[in-house]
Amino acid sequence: MKYFKFCFVLLISLFLFSALNAQKRTIKKADEAFEIGEYFLAFELYEKAYEKLTEKDVKAEVAFKAGECNRIMMDDRKAMRWYRKAVRGKINNPLAYLYYAEGLKMNEKYEEAKEEYKKFKNMVPDDPRGQNGIESCEMALEWMSNPTRFIVTEVEDINSKKADFSPSFGKSRSELYFSSNRESANGKNLSNITGESYSDIFVAKKDRKGKWSVPVPVEGNVNSEGSEGAAIIINDGAVMYFSMCEQIENANMGCKIYRSKNNAGGWSDPEMITIQGDSSVSVGHPAVTEDELTMYFVSDSVPGNKGRGGKDIWVVTRSSVGGSWGEPENLG
């Protein structure tokens, strides 16, 4: 009998040890995916590991990481739910309380958000985000009580069930360019970064009666199997600057800014914009002046300057169209 009890205990121990190792491997894979920017894949792995974890502190940490994935993917509701799990697990990380408060605020739960901002402020008194968050919630509640005359309506003719973003007028206010990952986009594979299809640049035109046409991918060679978006159209629809992000297996190649010209056959082959002579820097979301001598963009680092933390807005200038761009300046 003792022998059978010993064997039973041994088998249970081996099972638990094997399960624990499997969870650790899953979390490690999730961490690696997160590190290279594959946030959708990372979230799936964190979620899988979370369900089988028993240690409260480890579960809270994994819940926080799952929340981070969804925050970066801009799924505020899902991020809020995972930060709530981390906070209820008594995680010792002030950012969990800050981001939970942010999620609550984004979902218009202002009174609850204020309480979480207060917790963050108590944990990190010198960080202004706590007090700023409290004040923003108070202002939102006041604005709701005293609304303005501005009315925001959805442009149903253009929007789809997928992500539609970064609008920019073209030749006139009757021509609208925007980014979308709707079914008619070129990229058919799902992105490990977002879990959605890759986006393309679309255009819609408004007729004399004020009705928008069915959006179609722009003509020419701008859209690819990768992800294009955040386009800015200047010079009366003649020039486009946009972001293109490439991804290969087990590697996020980052994003680059490209320039294309509008001609009789559509948009020309994109020309990559090199920032300070370094083509390895990940940059995106360009905003360019009409003379094409000043460009604002987003990046988490540029050569010789890591920025202020996370993604920052930078500005770069040049003396002539076709000339080299100068040294980027962080806008602070």
Side-chain angles (χ1 to χ4, degrees), residues 11-190:
L11 286 172
I12 293 296
S13 299
L14 288 172
F15 173 79
L16 293 174
F17 179 76
S18 176
L20 180 61
N21 279 341
Q23 291 153 24
K24 287 182 177 179
R25 287 194 298 270
T26 300
I27 294 172
K28 183 180 178 181
K29 289 181 181 178
D31 290 341
E32 291 171 350
F34 188 94
E35 189 64 28
I36 63 173
E38 294 186 343
Y39 304 114
F40 180 75
L41 175 60
F43 169 68
E44 286 189 322
L45 293 170
Y46 285 133
E47 185 178 37
K48 179 181 178 181
Y50 180 86
E51 297 301 325
K52 297 181 180 180
L53 289 169
T54 56
E55 297 179 53
K56 189 175 181 180
D57 57 336
V58 179
K59 289 194 73 169
E61 181 63 31
V62 169
F64 173 73
K65 292 177 177 179
E68 287 287 85
C69 292
N70 286 287
R71 177 179 65 85
I72 295 170
M73 292 189 295
M74 295 183 289
D75 190 332
D76 299 309
R77 290 185 180 276
K78 193 173 287 186
M80 181 182 67
R81 290 198 296 268
W82 283 96
Y83 287 132
R84 180 167 57 230
K85 293 176 187 289
V87 168
R88 289 179 176 176
K90 306 296 183 183
I91 188 172
N92 187 28
N93 185 340
L95 289 178
Y97 297 86
L98 174 66
Y99 294 146
Y100 181 35
E102 296 279 296
L104 289 166
K105 184 174 69 174
M106 291 292 290
N107 287 281
E108 300 182 13
K109 300 178 184 293
Y110 299 114
E111 292 293 353
E112 295 177 54
K114 281 173 61 177
E115 296 306 311
E116 298 304 322
Y117 278 123
K118 289 177 182 177
K119 293 176 184 177
F120 174 76
K121 182 180 178 181
N122 290 334
M123 297 174 77
V124 193
D126 295 333
D127 193 316
R129 289 178 291 181
Q131 183 60 34
N132 290 344
I134 294 170
E135 293 177 4
S136 68
C137 289
E138 292 172 345
M139 292 171 68
L141 290 168
E142 181 181 344
W143 293 335
M144 290 175 69
S145 301
N146 301 283
T148 69
R149 292 178 296 172
F150 292 100
I151 299 175
V152 179
T153 58
E154 180 183 352
V155 185
E156 295 182 352
D157 292 341
I158 294 178
N159 289 329
S160 68
K161 294 181 180 180
K162 297 292 186 175
D164 305 304
F165 55 98
S166 296
S168 178
F169 288 115
K171 296 177 182 178
S172 68
R173 296 290 174 130
S174 296
E175 185 178 64
L176 185 70
Y177 290 82
F178 65 96
S179 306
S180 179
N181 63 353
R182 60 186 63 198
E183 296 297 330
S184 50
N186 279 336
K188 302 305 178 186
N189 295 323
L190 294 182

Side-chain angles (χ1 to χ4, degrees), residues 94 119 213 237 281 296:
K119 293 176 184 177
S213 65
V281 179
Y296 297 85

